[in-house]
Amino acid sequence: ALRWTGQDAPAWLPLGRATDAIEPIGDDRALVVANNGGNLHLALIELGGIHLLVDYAHNPAAISAVAGLVEAIWGTEHAVAAVTLPGDRRDDLIADCARAVADGFHRVVLYEDSDLRGRAHGEVPEIVRSEIAARRPELVATTVMTAAEAVPVALAMANPGDVVVLMYESIGPMLAVLDTLGARAITQPRELAR
C-alpha cells in the first residue's frame, strides 16, 4: 500500500521554495496533502519512470502555482495534467480554473468527481473542456469518467521522465488507483532528474 515510514517517506515540495529544498519526511503517516503552517505541500510518486505529482489544486491560484512548479522542474512540455474540479463551485470559478489549466499544461485529461455536488453528469468536465478550447484551441483535452480511468490515460500520454499532475477529489480513491498500478514514493531529490 502507499504508506511510508522513516527513510521511505515521500518527498514533499514546498511551494515557493527552490527544488533543492526537497526533503523526505517521516512520522509513519499515509500520503496526504497537507497545509503545514500555510505552506501547501505536494506529494511526489513514481510509476514506470514517470513522476506523479499529487495535489488537490481546486482553485485558479493553486493550479497556477502547481503549473509554475512543474515548469520550473520539468518544463510544461513534459507534463500531463489529470484534472477534476468540484461541482459546488460557481461556473465563473470553474471557468477560471479551466483557463489556469489551459495556460499551464500542454496535455490534459479531464475526469468527473464521484460526488457531482448538485451538477448534472458530465457538466463540470464539459465546462472545463469548453473553456480550454476557447483559450487554447490547439490543446486537446481528453475526457474520461473517473480517476481510475484518468490515471492510466494520463500515464499513456506521458514519456519516461515526464510528470503527470493528478488533481483529485478525494485522496483515498486516488491512492487506491496508484497503489493498484504499483506506484512508489520518490524519496530523494536526485530521483527528479530527467
Side-chain angles (χ1 to χ4, degrees), residues 22-103:
I22 299 167
E23 298 175 327
I25 62 167
D27 79 359
D28 192 25
R29 66 177 161 191
L31 174 65
V32 294
V33 173
N35 185 330
N36 185 6
N39 295 316
L40 184 64
H41 293 75
L42 309 172
L44 270 175
I45 301 169
E46 186 273 336
L47 180 62
I50 297 169
H51 301 117
L52 302 165
L53 192 151
V54 182
D55 187 69
Y56 185 72
H58 276 65
N59 64 62
I63 293 167
S64 295
V66 169
L69 182 64
V70 165
E71 175 60 30
I73 296 173
W74 293 274
T76 55
E77 69 277 9
H78 298 289
V80 179
V83 178
T84 188
L85 295 169
D88 60 355
R89 306 300 197 264
R90 295 184 327 258
D91 285 1
D92 63 316
L93 182 56
I94 293 171
D96 289 345
C97 289
R99 287 188 289 275
V101 169
D103 291 345

Side-chain angles (χ1 to χ4, degrees), residues 133-160:
R135 184 114 173 156
R136 288 194 46 214
E138 75 283 3
L139 193 160
V140 177
T142 301
T143 303
V144 298
M145 299 316 306
T146 66
E149 295 172 280
V151 174
V153 169
L155 286 167
M157 295 169 75
N159 298 306

